[in-house]
Amino acid sequence: MEWLERTAKLRQWTRSGTRAPHKPLLLLYALSRFQEDAEGELRYSAVEQDLQRLLNEYGPPNKTTPAYPFHHLASDGVWEVRTDRGPGSPGSGVRDLRETGAAGQLAPDLRAALRREPQLLGRMARLLLDLHFPPSLHSELCEAVGLELEPAETEQPASVRRQRDPRMRELVLTAYEYRCAFCGYDGRIGTVPVGLEAAHVRWWAFGGPDDIDNGLCLCSLHHKLFDKGVLGVGDGNRIQVSRRFVGHSPAAREHVIALAGRTLIGPQPGVRPVADAHRDWHARQVFHGESRPATAS
């Protein structure tokens, strides 16, 4: 459990719910590379582009660099860095890491523990996913870093365990009358809704409560795009579409781009809409770039 505790307590810059997934992304990447080569080092100059791509895709909207976690993760006891001159990191400067031949790998004791207990790798990875990313992105993120995980229950240290409210999905879907708040989709098989999900506006991993005013009923497509920062909710509960989203097909235009400026569907009268605080968190921490102008009706 020692390594799970360390994984759960990675030191991160935090303030007012700010997302800082730099270290978790690097650790996920390092675990993946350990699966491929248990003794291989990750030379900064060789993996910089991979790490930057992960930060661009799954990090916060503001620009950032993989040099920060490459240097600082060593302080958590799960990572080590050496240069052509010997052990130790040259610092968090991009140029220094490149020019000194800086290379990192999982700490020796952690590598030994992973060899003794092969299931530990999966437990650490699932803990990182649960603590820092919404469930809608877990499979995609594993694929992006190259992790192969066996289906298993997540094991969390008692110090970070937090129970989800099992009623959240039903309460949110009922509040929105079993319709996607973005497009109105309401498919069913018999009486069972199909492809409708309860999305957290402020992610559960970042203190988002299992409350109706932190939830939206969304179809599977729009849930994924919402969690990826393609879609957002602005003033007046109007749908935002990121300018960074590009799609030329009729389907992309109809199901995504055309949503810009539309008003959310629901919730039904008497139900609290999305709270401003949760909507603002999503706008600052998840939504990417500027929003597209409203499309002509």
Side-chain angles (χ1 to χ4, degrees):
M1 189 64 75
E2 172 195 358
W3 293 108
L4 294 180
E5 291 282 357
R6 290 193 187 189
T7 300
K9 295 179 179 179
L10 295 179
R11 299 183 191 122
Q12 297 172 270
W13 187 88
T14 57
R15 186 180 68 186
S16 303
T18 300
R19 292 178 60 217
H22 310 68
K23 288 182 178 180
L25 285 171
L26 173 57
L27 188 49
L28 283 169
Y29 185 81
L31 290 170
S32 169
R33 297 297 290 267
F34 180 87
Q35 279 186 326
E36 298 176 10
D37 181 0
E39 292 300 327
E41 290 187 329
L42 305 182
R43 200 170 184 87
Y44 181 79
S45 58
V47 301
E48 182 180 8
Q49 288 188 349
D50 282 352
L51 296 175
Q52 188 65 64
R53 174 178 53 82
L54 289 172
L55 284 171
N56 291 344
E57 283 289 317
Y58 302 101
N62 55 295
K63 291 183 179 180
T64 187
T65 170
Y68 169 83
F70 203 92
H71 166 71
H72 287 286
L73 185 60
S75 66
D76 293 282
V78 298
W79 177 253
E80 65 176 7
V81 178
R82 64 176 59 244
T83 68
D84 294 338
R85 298 192 296 263
S89 172
S92 59
V94 171
R95 182 175 178 178
D96 291 336
L97 289 167
R98 291 172 180 166
E99 293 183 351
T100 60
Q105 65 180 158
L106 298 176
D109 288 348
L110 175 54
R111 298 201 305 272
L114 290 169
R115 291 191 197 92
R116 289 194 308 270
E117 186 183 352
Q119 291 183 334
L120 176 61
L121 188 148
R123 294 191 185 112
M124 289 178 63
R126 292 179 189 282
L127 182 56
L128 289 166
L129 292 169
D130 281 344
L131 292 179
H132 302 283
F133 305 96
S136 67
L137 299 183
H138 288 185
S139 295
E140 176 186 321
L141 187 47
C142 284
E143 184 176 344
V145 300
L147 266 175
E148 297 183 6
L149 300 182
E150 295 294 330
E153 292 185 1
T154 300
E155 180 179 350
Q156 291 192 3
S159 60
V160 299
R161 196 171 296 144
R162 178 176 161 222
Q163 295 296 320
R164 292 177 180 265
D165 188 340
R167 301 171 301 167
M168 166 100 176
R169 180 179 183 273
E170 184 63 26
L171 291 173
V172 170
L173 266 59
T174 299
Y176 286 83
E177 301 180 287
Y178 295 87
R179 294 182 300 172
C180 174
F182 286 168
C183 69
Y185 168 81
D186 59 355
R188 296 170 181 260
I189 294 179
T191 60
V192 180
V194 178
L196 287 172
E197 301 165 356
H200 282 77
V201 179
R202 179 179 180 132
W203 293 354
W204 187 87
F206 285 83
D210 287 332
D211 295 336
I212 291 178
D213 65 1
N214 187 41
L216 285 171
C217 176
L218 298 178
C219 66
S220 300
L221 171 64
H222 291 135
H223 188 178
K224 173 62 74 67
L225 296 178
F226 187 63
D227 284 345
K228 287 280 286 187
V230 171
L231 299 175
V233 180
D235 294 337
N237 283 331
R238 295 196 174 275
I239 300 169
Q240 295 177 309
V241 179
S242 172
R243 286 184 181 272
R244 297 185 186 179
F245 176 83
V246 177
H248 301 291
S249 67
R253 291 196 298 269
E254 178 182 353
H255 298 300
V256 183
I257 296 172
L259 296 176
R262 291 186 186 176
T263 303
L264 286 180
I265 299 171
Q268 59 179 286
V271 176
R272 300 190 309 276
V274 175
D276 290 346
H278 301 322
R279 186 191 67 192
D280 292 346
W281 181 90
H282 187 275
R284 288 183 286 105
Q285 299 300 323
V286 181
F287 187 74
H288 279 280
E290 298 180 355
S291 58
R292 288 173 173 265
T295 58
S297 302

